[in-house]
Each structure stands twice: as structure tokens, then as C-alpha cells.
């Protein structure tokens, strides 16, 4: 069987890429070992983060690093035995997070983020999934004056330099907007531009169905079987061997399963994260996607219930779950909001696919014709999937990408 393009990985990045290729006249086979959207893209916080122009850096100050070393925080956790394996990634991540380099990276990263809402909007309309979207931003709340003042100053800078918009909130504003939230918050920010998704898996499902309506096909298969042929690429699927001129690796945290045996080495790390859904107690209501900023967890009022999501866990990608951050966050969250019973039988876990310079890898494989990479979207894969999908499809079909993607080239790690 010959198909035009094989897209490996049916997360938000792979599905979006498959749509854009199919729209541009290519015949696409989308391949995943699981059902589409079943991994990292399944359980995120559901934010299309138009304000997220500054990627999350690694702490620089010694005092902060020492606090993290105690390994008792909510926003970060690590497995000691996993650190040696992640050292190359962590050292380069720390180095790139230095103020000057981080500023340069933000400037290179911002154009991707800038188009996140418009590119999702295109796919949301085409897939008739507007009922899964809210367009009223998200909120972070601060417990101390010092944190509030620092974040207000940073928001002002982001508005000036990158055109994002926000409202500065007082404690009284927060009480009015969220009557069920208890505790004395000193202020907050409402980011106005971002959109939120009431069911991230539902959104990917809608995108995938749209892809199939365009004539694309999904099949299950193992990306590790990818091999080069005389005329292109071949992968083994449940429908037999699929051959195509081009192949796209959109495997998120599993990209190395396809790239390393072709001779590529990317210093990728993962930041694992957890979620759990809760029923609100009584008639309590959470109106906004809310970050408890000093503690580092999200509460998101999704269709299934209030989804609590956690920060970064530095651990081996496939090591068993250790949801200690979730337990710690739940305790703190219960003190500020009347969360009721847990709704999931066990915590969900995903692994954010991270590069040490905080930018995704998008472009042609340096040493193979017809092979393309789209992975490493870290904290912003949901946000960026449709942007990446469009620029990569443009590149594959021979058009100039609508934004300059030189900074995301795979060559920066594999010259
Ligand atoms: C707790 C948490 C909260 C988050 N919140 C947000 C948010 O609010 N906004 C945001 O923008 N981002 C958020 N993210 C990040 C976002 O979820 C990820 O960046 C994004 O899902 C990555 O998408 P992907 O398509 O690259 O990877 P994935 O969704 O992981 O897709 C990769 C696919 O490859 C498949 N695969 C793996 N191995 C094989 C194989 N051998 N053969 C075939 N297929 C294979 C997998 O089954 C999977 O479907 C969050 C992440 C977490 C963990």
C-alpha cells in the first residue's frame, strides 16, 4: 500500500500536522500505537496560552535551587535515581535559562505563540468544536504582596514587548469573581487573550474526525518499525506495511523511538505532570481556570469536573507514577476551595516533551530526505499544535512557512 505521508503520533501535534497536510492535497496516514489523543495531549490543563511567550526557565538563584533540593514542593519533584540520566538535559536547560539567553529565546519563541489562537480558531471552526471552547482567559492569584508586585511588573513588560493583554486584580476582585474561593489573596492577574478547552481529549477527537472527513486515515502501528526504503519510508501497522514518500515524527516524549536508530541524538527531557478531577462540594462553583501561583498547581473547571493539574516531575519517562505533588496540591487546594470527592479511579499522568532551549523541534531531518520532525513542545503543546502543523505542512509541500521557523530547526542539536 502506498500513501503520500505517514504521520507518526496522534497527539495534538500529529493530528494538527495531518490535517494541514491533507488540506494541502497530500494523502495522509496517521499512525499511533494507541487511540488518538490518548497520551500527553489527553490530560493537560486545557489552556491555549496566547500569553505564554516566555517559556518556563530553570531556576537560577542558589537559594531557590536549595529549596527545590529538599524535594517537598508542589510545583516540582524529582526522582533522585533519574537525575544522572537527565544531567545533560538539565545542565543545558539551566544554562539556557540564564537571563540574557532566556530573553533571546523568548523573542525567538514568541512568533509561534502569537498565532496560537488564530490557528486553533481555524481548526475549531472547521471541526465544529466551538462548544468545547471558552474565550475568557485565565487567572492567577497571589498570596503575598511581593509576588503580586513582581508579577504585575512582569505582566506590564509582556504587554509592552509582546502585546499580550491582562487585567490586574485586587483581592476584592477575586472574591467577586470567585465567591467560593476562601483565603486572603493579595491580588491576581487575568490574562485576557488565552482560550481554554473544556475537554482537551474531546477537542483532539473533533480534530481527528475532521481529518478523516478530509479523506485522511488513522491506523494503529508501532513507530519504532519506521524504516527507509528506496522510494521513501515504511512503517508496519495493523493494516500491514504502509509506504509513503514522506514521514513525520510527531511522537512527543517518545520521539527517540524513531529518531535514535536513524542516528539522531536529541538531548530531550520530560517533565511529568498529573491530574485528578473533583466534584465541587454542595453548590460551590469555580468560574475561572485558576493558578495558585505561589504553590504551583491549576484548578480548571472542565466538563468532567474540576481538574487539578500539577507542575513538573523530573523522572524517567516510563517510570511508575509517583503522584506526591497531586496529594500535596489537593491538600492546599481543599483549604482554598470546597473540593468534593475524587472522580477518577487513579491519578492521570503525562510527560511534557522538553528541549533544553525550551523551543520545539520543527523541520526537516538533517540527514534524511522525506523525514520531518515535530516534537518537544513542552508546556505548550496544546497551545502550539495547530501552528506547528501548519508550518510543517507548508514546508513539506514546498511553500514558505508563514512564520520564520529557523530557530526551531532540528539542526541546532544534530548539525
Ligand atoms: C499536567 C499537564 C498540563 C499541561 N497543560 C497544558 C496547557 O494548559 N496548555 C498547553 O498548551 N500544554 C499543556 N501541557 C503540555 C501538552 O499537553 C503537551 O505539550 C502536548 O500534549 C504534547 O503533544 P504531542 O502531540 O507532542 O505529544 P503526545 O500527545 O504525547 O502524542 C504523542 C503520541 O505518540 C504516540 N506514540 C508513542 N510511542 C509510539 C509508538 N512506538 N508507536 C506509535 N505511536 C506512539 C503516543 O501514543 C501519543 O499519542 C500540559 C502537560 C501536562 C502533563
Amino acid at each position: 500500500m502506498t500513501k503520500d505521508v505517514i504521520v507518526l503520533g496522534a497527539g495534538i501535534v500529529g493530528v494538527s500536522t495531518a490535517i494541514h497536510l491533507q488540506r494541502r492535497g497530500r494523502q495522509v496516514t496517521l499512525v499511533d500505537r494507541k487511540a488518538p489523543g490518548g497520551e500527553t495531549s489527553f490530560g493537560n490543563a486545557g489552556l491555549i496560552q496566547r500569553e505564554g511567550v516566555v517559556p518556563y526557565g530553570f531556576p537560577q538563584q542558589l537559594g531557590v535551587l536549595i529549596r527545590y533540593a529538599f524535594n517537598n514542593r508542589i510545583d516540582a519533584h524529582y526522582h533522585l535515581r533519574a537525575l544522572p540520566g537527565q544531567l545533560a538535559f538539565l545542565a543545558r536547560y539551566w544554562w539556557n535559562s540564564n537571563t540574557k539567553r532566556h530573553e533571546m529565546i523568548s523573542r525567538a519563541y514568541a512568533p509561534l505563540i502569537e498565532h496560537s489562537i488564530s490557528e486553533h480558531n481555524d481548526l475549531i471552526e472547521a471541526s465544529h468544536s466551538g462548544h468545547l471552547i471558552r474565550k475568557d482567559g485565565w487567572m492567577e492569584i497571589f498570596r503575598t504582596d511581593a509576588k503580586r508586585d513582581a508579577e504585575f511588573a512582569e505582566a506590564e513588560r509582556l504587554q509592552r514587548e509582546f502585546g499580550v493583554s491582562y487585567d490586574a486584580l485586587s483581592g476584592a476582585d477575586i472574591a467577586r469573581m470567585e465567591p467560593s474561593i476562601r483565603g486572603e489573596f493579595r491580588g491576581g492577574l487575568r490574562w485576557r487573550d488565552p482560550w481554554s478547552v473544556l475537554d482537551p481529549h474531546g477537542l483532539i477527537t473533533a480534530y481527528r474526525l475532521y481529518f478523516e472527513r478530509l479523506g485522511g486515515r488513522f491506523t494503529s502501528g508501532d513507530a519504532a518499525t519506521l524504516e527507509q526504503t528506496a522510494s521513501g519510508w515504511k512503517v508496519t501497522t495493523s493494516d500491514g506495511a504502509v509506504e509513503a514518500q514522506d514521514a513525520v515524527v510527531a511522537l512527543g516524549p517518545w520521539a527517540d523511538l524513531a529518531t535514535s536508530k536513524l542516528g539522531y541524538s536529541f538531548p530531550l527531557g520530560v517533565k511529568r505532570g498529573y491530574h485528578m478531577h473533583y466534584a465541587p462540594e454542595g453548590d460551590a462553583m469555580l468560574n475561572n481556570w485558576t493558578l495558585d501561583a505561589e504553590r504551583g498547581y491549576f484548578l480548571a473547571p472542565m466538563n468532567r469536573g474540576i481538574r487539578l493539574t500539577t507542575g513538573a516531575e523530573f523522572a524517567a519517562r516510563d517510570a511508575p507514577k509517583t503522584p506526591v505533588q497531586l496529594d500535596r496540591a489537593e491538600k492546599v487546594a481543599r483549604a482554598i476551595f470546597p473540593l468534593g470527592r475524587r472522580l477518577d479511579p487513579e491519578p492521570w499522568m503525562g510527560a511534557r516533551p522538553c528541549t533544553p532551549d525550551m523551543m520545539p523541534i520543527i523541520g526537516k531531518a538533517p540527514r534524511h530526505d522525506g523525514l520531518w520532525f515535530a516534537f518537544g513542545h513542552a508546556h505548550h503543546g496544546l497551545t502550539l499544535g495547530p501552528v506547528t502543523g501548519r508550518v510543517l505542512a507548508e514546508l513539506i509541500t514546498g511553500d514558505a512557512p508563514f512564520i520564520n521557523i529557523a530557530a526551531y530547526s532540528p539542526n541546532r542539536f544534530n548539525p
Side-chain angles (χ1 to χ4, degrees):
M1 190 192 317
T2 301
K3 292 277 175 183
D4 219 348
V5 187
I6 298 164
V7 175
L8 299 170
I12 186 67
V13 175
V15 170
S16 302
T17 306
I19 288 174
H20 278 285
L21 284 163
Q22 192 71 34
R23 272 182 172 181
R24 299 175 75 80
R26 293 297 180 103
Q27 184 58 46
V28 180
T29 303
L30 179 63
V31 178
D32 202 297
R33 63 182 171 189
K34 290 190 162 181
E39 287 285 358
T40 328
S41 301
F42 178 87
N44 51 54
L47 284 172
I48 302 171
Q49 285 193 264
R50 168 62 187 92
E51 91 301 340
V53 286
V54 178
Y56 297 101
F58 195 90
Q60 300 287 291
Q61 307 89 337
L62 189 62
V64 178
L65 288 171
I66 291 172
R67 283 207 292 281
Y68 281 107
F70 285 106
N71 212 11
N72 58 4
R73 297 177 61 95
I74 293 173
D75 58 343
H77 178 246
Y78 61 88
H79 289 182
L80 195 56
R81 63 189 172 283
L83 292 187
Q86 300 224 334
L87 218 54
F89 162 71
L90 290 173
R92 290 174 73 166
Y93 181 24
W94 173 82
W95 189 81
N96 278 312
S97 301
N98 156 290
T99 309
K100 248 206 158 71
R101 279 183 286 272
H102 200 189
E103 267 174 29
M104 280 168 49
I105 286 167
S106 298
R107 276 197 293 279
Y109 186 64
L112 272 182
I113 291 282
E114 210 175 291
H115 296 279
S116 54
I117 298 286
S118 50
E119 291 306 314
H120 263 288
N121 189 43
D122 173 9
L123 301 194
I124 289 163
E125 284 184 1
S127 63
H128 309 295
S129 49
H131 59 288
L132 298 175
I133 305 297
R134 274 179 49 173
K135 302 184 176 177
D136 54 358
W138 66 273
M139 176 168 97
E140 48 186 320
I141 53 179
F142 309 121
R143 291 164 180 264
T144 61
D145 292 351
K147 178 74 173 169
R148 178 200 60 204
D149 295 346
E151 295 299 328
F152 280 9
E154 175 66 356
E156 213 272 316
R157 181 182 79 83
L158 296 184
Q159 183 177 53
R160 202 175 50 245
E161 291 182 20
F162 298 104
V164 302
S165 53
Y166 69 94
D167 296 318
L169 306 175
S170 65
D173 291 330
I174 294 167
R176 187 174 38 76
M177 290 164 71
E178 293 292 353
S180 299
I181 287 190
R182 304 181 284 242
E184 212 202 309
F185 286 91
R186 307 297 300 168
L189 281 170
R190 187 174 76 87
W191 298 102
R192 277 194 235 139
D193 314 299
W195 290 1
S196 48
V197 184
L198 291 159
D199 174 1
H201 184 241
L203 187 69
I204 296 195
T205 303
Y207 286 4
R208 196 256 302 171
L209 292 172
Y210 168 55
F211 161 70
E212 288 174 348
R213 281 199 298 279
L214 291 172
R217 195 172 70 96
F218 171 78
T219 185
S220 56
D222 184 356
T225 62
L226 181 71
E227 58 180 285
Q228 197 166 22
T229 65
S231 56
W233 297 90
K234 183 169 95 175
V235 69
T236 306
T237 73
S238 54
D239 297 331
V242 175
E243 294 193 34
Q245 275 164 253
D246 295 281
V248 176
V249 177
L251 293 164
W254 293 276
D256 64 317
L257 295 184
T259 59
S260 50
K261 67 178 194 181
L262 295 169
Y264 296 101
S265 166
F266 292 99
L268 297 178
V270 292
K271 293 187 197 171
R272 307 195 318 173
Y274 297 84
H275 86 216
M276 172 59 65
H277 292 95
Y278 300 85
E281 219 165 55
D283 57 0
M285 283 272 284
L286 182 69
N287 298 314
N288 293 278
W289 264 245
T290 303
L291 173 70
D292 186 349
E294 278 104 331
R295 300 294 181 265
Y297 65 90
F298 250 105
L299 291 176
M302 293 200 179
N303 281 351
R304 174 159 169 70
I306 296 175
R307 178 179 288 187
L308 189 162
T309 61
T310 65
E313 182 178 62
F314 296 90
R317 181 188 60 204
D318 302 320
K321 295 177 188 176
T322 51
V324 293
Q325 287 162 285
L326 184 70
D327 294 338
R328 290 173 192 153
E330 179 182 317
K331 217 166 167 185
V332 175
R334 285 189 185 284
I336 67 160
F337 186 90
L339 289 178
R341 65 191 168 86
R342 285 184 169 202
L343 297 177
D344 304 322
E346 60 174 277
W348 171 87
M349 185 189 77
R352 302 173 183 92
C354 299
T355 62
D357 65 5
M358 295 159 268
M359 291 192 289
I361 291 163
I362 308 170
K364 184 184 172 305
R367 297 188 292 277
H368 293 84
D369 284 338
L371 183 64
W372 310 86
F373 295 155
F375 50 85
H377 292 72
H379 291 259
H380 290 148
L382 174 65
T383 302
L384 294 178
V387 187
T388 294
R390 177 172 164 192
V391 290
L392 194 63
E394 288 169 341
L395 199 64
I396 293 173
T397 54
D399 282 335
F402 78 108
I403 50 175
N404 183 348
I405 56 168
Y408 325 123
S409 166
N411 294 54
R412 68 195 198 272
F413 297 115
N414 286 269

